[in-house]
Amino acid sequence: MKLRPRNREPALHDRLVWQAASLLLAYPDDGLTERLDTVESLLAHLDGTVAELLGRTVAALRTAEPMAAAMDYVATFDMRRRATMYLTYWTAGDTRNRGREMLAFATAYREAGVEPPRSEAPDHLSVVLEFAATVAPGAGRRLLTEHRVPIDVLRSALADAASPYEHTVAAVCETLPAATDQEVRRAQRLAEAGPPAEAVGLQPFTLTVPPRREERAPDV
């Protein structure tokens, strides 16, 4: 029997969405087919808008040639900083501030009893989603809600690029409180200005998604 989204066991419903989204937003390496199979098994327990949105991304990745899928991922997330999945790019204006905000993610993970993964930065959306889905739903929901504006900016950038990943980010947004007018205006300002360009790393709970590529390409 399918779960009723947002009214019956909403916490479990959202965790299923977050796990599916984490897998779909991972770099499409040789494990892509297996991850898509896992996502489809999760979709069997979802219905409504989120199932339809996640299913769109699954269908697009199913039909894409492996090399084309990899190239599209790089072009989407590595060559456009406005489509970055590193959430602190949007909330910190300099290296010191971003390092402090990344530390806040790492601290949340440690307080939940796990170490942040060594293979990816703690503020990467896929990492946060997997943490929320599999480790600490309450703490994970708080991190996602606090970064609703960056997530909305990412969704908008992906929509502008006609990316199939936009549907997945939109499904994540469905699990979060509606954005306020003030948050919408802030997202619009951030989208126009773009995130800062500097990169700061931190260094594990074990991810089931592969790390994003190390290379960073300039904004276009």
Side-chain angles (χ1 to χ4, degrees), residues 3-140:
L3 300 174
R4 296 179 194 170
R6 310 307 295 156
N7 50 36
R8 185 176 183 181
E9 300 203 48
L12 176 58
H13 168 269
D14 292 351
R15 292 175 70 177
L16 293 172
V17 174
W18 297 335
Q19 181 65 85
S22 178
L23 295 170
L24 291 174
L25 293 174
Y27 178 77
D29 62 3
D30 292 341
L32 175 61
T33 297
E34 182 178 354
R35 291 197 300 276
L36 293 178
D37 291 343
T38 299
V39 171
E40 288 189 330
S41 70
L42 296 174
L43 292 183
H45 301 286
L46 296 168
D47 58 17
T49 300
V50 292
E52 192 268 336
L53 288 168
L54 293 168
R56 288 190 193 181
T57 304
V58 171
L61 293 177
R62 283 282 191 204
T63 57
E65 292 293 327
M67 182 63 70
M71 291 177 63
D72 177 67
Y73 188 95
V74 171
T76 299
F77 297 112
D78 289 342
M79 299 185 71
R80 295 185 180 92
R81 287 203 310 274
R82 287 176 175 80
T84 182
M85 283 195 279
Y86 292 97
L87 300 179
T88 62
Y89 268 122
W90 300 100
T91 58
D94 59 45
T95 299
R96 179 172 11 180
N97 286 343
R98 184 167 182 238
R100 183 168 57 246
E101 294 198 12
M102 290 175 73
L103 180 60
F105 281 85
T107 298
Y109 300 157
R110 292 185 178 113
E111 288 179 345
V114 296
E115 287 293 310
R118 293 193 178 95
S119 58
E120 185 56 273
D123 65 328
H124 191 276
L125 182 56
S126 282
V127 174
V128 183
L129 287 167
E130 182 148 332
F131 172 73
T134 66
V135 179

